[in-house]
Every structure is written in structure tokens, then in C-alpha cells.
Amino acid sequence: MRLLPVLFVLCVTLGFVGCSENDPGEVAGKTAKQYYDYLLEGKYEAWVDGHYHSDTISNEYREQLIVNAKMFMLQQNREHEGIREVRVSNSKADTAHHTANVFMVFVYGDSTNEETLVPMVEHKGLWYMR
């Protein structure tokens, strides 16, 4: 069941890669946004699966990461009336090292914004959050 979100991201990524005008930074940005959309939708398992090497962690640690994601969202609801939207503001890939830096903007329910950096790593053709 853990593979469904990753397979979905693989299909999305392959769709982006198939278009010659999409650079790796853009693909990494769209993939990072998809992972954050999972978080906003309450799909915490898919959020955790979007992290690099999530398939090698113990079930106990995986459950802790899921609980942490839920707590993060509760905190955002308390402090900012939730996260209304996540946007990619910029992304840049280092193709030699198979990494990318994706800058995302959180648009909060209290009408404030925050930009954050999401480091990404490409492994076997898929982008994961680091």
C-alpha cells in the first residue's frame, strides 16, 4: 500500500520528463509540491513515503514520522489557521549530483506567507525529499 503514492509520483514525474521543455529543477519542484499536497490532504503516509530512504526505516520510526506530520499540521492550524495552499516559487537542480533545491511558499489561513527550502534528491529516476 505504501507504493501507491510513490507510483503516482513516478507516473507524474515520467509525464514531466517526457516533455522536453521541462528541466530537472521543474520536475523536482512539481514533485515536491505533490508531496506537500499530500500533507495538506491529510495523506500523512504518502508524505512520509516521499522522503528519501523511507522504505528502509523501521515501522516504529515510520509511525513516529506520521504522528509528527499530524502534529505539525495541528500546530499550523493553531498558529496560522492552517496552510491554505503551497506554491513552488523557484527550483534549481544540480544534475551532476542528482539534487535540487525547491523553494516553496506556504500560504496560511491568516493571510501570511512563508517561504521554505525543500532539498530534493533524485534516486533511480524519482525525486524524493531529503
Side-chain angles (χ1 to χ4, degrees), residues 87-105:
R87 287 186 239 145
V88 175
S89 65
N90 193 11
S91 58
K92 193 152 193 94
D94 179 345
T95 55
H97 294 102
H98 301 278
T99 60
N101 287 323
V102 178
F103 294 90
M104 303 192 75
V105 176

Side-chain angles (χ1 to χ4, degrees), residues 2 6 45-58 61-62 65 128:
R2 283 196 226 176
V6 174
E45 295 84 2
W47 159 258
V48 170
D49 292 341
H51 288 80
Y52 186 53
H53 285 309
S54 65
D55 58 339
T56 63
I57 61 175
S58 69
Y61 184 54
R62 184 173 190 279
L65 293 175
Y128 295 94

Side-chain angles (χ1 to χ4, degrees), residues 36-107:
Y36 270 87
D37 286 343
Y38 286 150
L39 183 65
L40 297 183
E41 295 165 5
K43 298 177 180 176
Y44 304 113
E45 295 84 2
W47 159 258
V48 170
D49 292 341
H51 288 80
Y52 186 53
H53 285 309
S54 65
D55 58 339
T56 63
I57 61 175
S58 69
N59 286 335
E60 293 81 17
Y61 184 54
R62 184 173 190 279
E63 288 303 315
Q64 288 176 357
L65 293 175
I66 291 168
V67 168
N68 285 346
K70 291 177 185 178
M71 288 178 9
F72 172 76
M73 291 307 290
L74 288 172
Q75 178 185 13
Q76 299 310 304
N77 287 333
R78 261 192 327 271
E79 294 179 4
H80 299 287
E81 299 174 25
I83 302 173
R84 197 167 17 111
E85 180 186 1
V86 176
R87 287 186 239 145
V88 175
S89 65
N90 193 11
S91 58
K92 193 152 193 94
D94 179 345
T95 55
H97 294 102
H98 301 278
T99 60
N101 287 323
V102 178
F103 294 90
M104 303 192 75
V105 176
F106 293 170
V107 179

